[in-house]
Amino acid sequence: MSDRPAALFAMNPVHLPELFPRPALDRLGQLVRIDEKAVAQDFTDPGVTAALAETEILITGWGCPPVDAAVLAAAPRLRAILHAAGSIRSVVTDACWERGLIVCSAVQANALPVAEYALAMILLAGKDAFALNDRYRREYAYPLPQELTGLGNNGRRVGIIGASRVGRRVLELLRPFDLRVTLHDPYVDEAEAAALGARLLPLDELLRASDIVSLHAPEIPATYRMLDGDRLALIPDGGVLINTSRGSLIDPVALTEELVSGRIGAVLDVTEPEPLPGDSPLHHLPNVFLTPHIAGSVGNELARLGDTVVTELEHLTVGLPPMYQVRRSDLAHVA
């Protein structure tokens, strides 16, 4: 097809093979003119600038620099950004919205493994599996039955903060279990929360009423340090906080104090700073389970993100409406 639009990859090239394995690249090649070996990391590079002059579709991913006014000036034909990752906040600038670009993201596909991770951690936390694993490795003995009183997931109180794409998928995954689920989200009303399978509560009430709190709010100014010392203190003794969103949503000093005291536990896939320094006490606490930012797509899950972009491109090139379009208004409340 001689009329195929010109496209350009813009990301850290280390991600390209897993995002776009050979079958995905072959599909791409049928839809657009793209150089598989040309992956932009610096939009000021002369070779990249020359390619931008013809680019109509920018396929971005982790490591893509911001697409600002200067980039857009070099790309007069650009009409769409297709992001093979989750949030587009670090890539899409105000200039992109003002230009009226179509912006699409694989955020929905990336939400799936995050929600699966959260589900697994919620159920394991209900069994106190992390602390018991640590104890078992030290003592080589089973706990006495009376020491397990109160454990289990029958009627466990779970609070979900944020009806983002991830939060909604977590709520869906929690439905088959005998849990009491509550939700806080300022953009959701009681009827919508009920339809999602949860009871809507103000944030402070949710924290007081939850054995396990799972955080799924977006990283925006309104959520910065939303869980400060006062709010962390509302979580009942023995409660567990799960964070797969962003570390900035929690006051790190207050969280460390709570965890060092042993009053609550935490499952942290994200922290502030990230990664945690080697001298952080969180590395060695039995009530803290740390993972290295793996809840989102990794390994074989990355191909799902690339497939989302190719599918979106198939729609756009034949004039169908986008399936995974992100609008500027979405950024106020959806992760």
Side-chain angles (χ1 to χ4, degrees), residues 122-140:
I122 288 168
L123 296 177
L124 288 171
K127 291 279 195 177
D128 199 20
F130 309 112
L132 289 173
N133 169 261
D134 182 76
R135 176 177 168 180
Y136 192 24
R137 287 189 297 180
R138 287 185 285 104
E139 299 182 1
Y140 310 112

Side-chain angles (χ1 to χ4, degrees), residues 52-70:
L52 282 172
E54 301 298 322
T55 298
E56 297 177 57
I57 309 290
L58 195 62
I59 300 176
T60 61
W62 294 296
C64 177
V67 181
D68 57 20

Side-chain angles (χ1 to χ4, degrees), residues 20-103:
F20 297 97
R22 187 72 259 163
L25 287 176
D26 289 342
R27 287 173 63 199
L28 270 180
Q30 295 174 359
L31 300 166
V32 294
R33 292 179 285 114
I34 192 165
D35 184 345
E36 302 170 11
K37 297 180 181 178
V39 184
Q41 286 186 279
D42 179 1
F43 288 132
T44 65
D45 179 274
V48 173
T49 302
L52 282 172
E54 301 298 322
T55 298
E56 297 177 57
I57 309 290
L58 195 62
I59 300 176
T60 61
W62 294 296
C64 177
V67 181
D68 57 20
V71 176
L72 294 180
R77 302 181 65 183
L78 185 66
R79 56 188 175 93
I81 296 176
L82 308 184
H83 192 52
S87 173
I88 51 88
R89 287 184 175 87
S90 65
V91 173
V92 176
T93 67
D94 289 344
C96 296
W97 303 117
E98 292 161 8
R99 171 96 156 246
L101 296 182
I102 295 171
V103 177

Side-chain angles (χ1 to χ4, degrees), residues 91-238:
V91 173
V92 176
T93 67
D94 289 344
C96 296
W97 303 117
E98 292 161 8
R99 171 96 156 246
L101 296 182
I102 295 171
V103 177
C104 303
S105 170
V107 64
Q108 187 69 45
N110 195 50
L112 301 180
V114 182
E116 291 164 358
Y117 175 105
L119 171 67
M121 297 305 164
I122 288 168
L123 296 177
L124 288 171
K127 291 279 195 177
D128 199 20
F130 309 112
L132 289 173
N133 169 261
D134 182 76
R135 176 177 168 180
Y136 192 24
R137 287 189 297 180
R138 287 185 285 104
E139 299 182 1
Y140 310 112
Y142 287 176
L144 298 173
Q146 57 267 33
E147 294 179 288
L148 302 179
T149 300
L151 298 188
N153 288 308
N154 183 22
R156 179 70 64 190
R157 301 177 302 171
V158 177
I160 303 298
I161 300 176
S164 61
R165 291 175 177 86
V166 175
R168 289 168 185 264
R169 178 60 175 163
V170 172
L171 289 168
E172 181 182 352
L173 294 176
L174 290 174
R175 282 181 178 272
F177 302 97
D178 295 319
L179 300 165
R180 289 180 286 168
V181 182
T182 55
L183 169 68
H184 170 74
D185 190 302
Y187 296 91
V188 171
D189 60 25
E190 291 185 3
E192 186 177 6
L196 292 170
R199 182 166 61 98
L200 191 68
L201 288 179
L203 180 55
D204 289 359
E205 288 185 34
L206 178 145
L207 293 170
R208 292 190 188 98
S210 299
D211 304 308
I212 300 168
V213 176
S214 193
L215 188 55
H216 303 292
E219 185 181 39
I220 56 177
T223 62
Y224 180 76
R225 302 287 194 266
M226 68 183 302
L227 296 187
D228 56 13
D230 291 341
R231 282 191 164 138
L232 290 172
L234 299 177
I235 299 174
D237 292 355

Side-chain angles (χ1 to χ4, degrees), residues 168-315:
R168 289 168 185 264
R169 178 60 175 163
V170 172
L171 289 168
E172 181 182 352
L173 294 176
L174 290 174
R175 282 181 178 272
F177 302 97
D178 295 319
L179 300 165
R180 289 180 286 168
V181 182
T182 55
L183 169 68
H184 170 74
D185 190 302
Y187 296 91
V188 171
D189 60 25
E190 291 185 3
E192 186 177 6
L196 292 170
R199 182 166 61 98
L200 191 68
L201 288 179
L203 180 55
D204 289 359
E205 288 185 34
L206 178 145
L207 293 170
R208 292 190 188 98
S210 299
D211 304 308
I212 300 168
V213 176
S214 193
L215 188 55
H216 303 292
E219 185 181 39
I220 56 177
T223 62
Y224 180 76
R225 302 287 194 266
M226 68 183 302
L227 296 187
D228 56 13
D230 291 341
R231 282 191 164 138
L232 290 172
L234 299 177
I235 299 174
D237 292 355
V240 177
L241 175 62
I242 300 170
N243 190 8
T244 57
S245 180
R246 288 292 184 267
S248 67
L249 275 60
I250 306 174
D251 182 327
V253 175
L255 178 62
T256 298
E257 290 175 354
E258 286 279 13
L259 296 174
V260 169
S261 76
R263 194 186 71 80
I264 63 173
V267 176
L268 304 174
D269 188 57
V270 292
T271 58
E272 188 174 90
E274 193 174 50
L276 284 176
D279 60 357
S280 170
L282 303 190
H283 287 296
H284 308 291
L285 294 177
N287 55 323
V288 178
F289 186 73
L290 297 171
T291 53
H293 206 141
I294 59 168
S297 298
V298 297
N300 60 28
E301 295 162 340
L302 294 173
R304 183 160 49 197
L305 306 185
D307 187 66
T308 296
V309 165
V310 178
T311 300
E312 189 71 284
L313 191 55
E314 288 173 340
H315 277 67

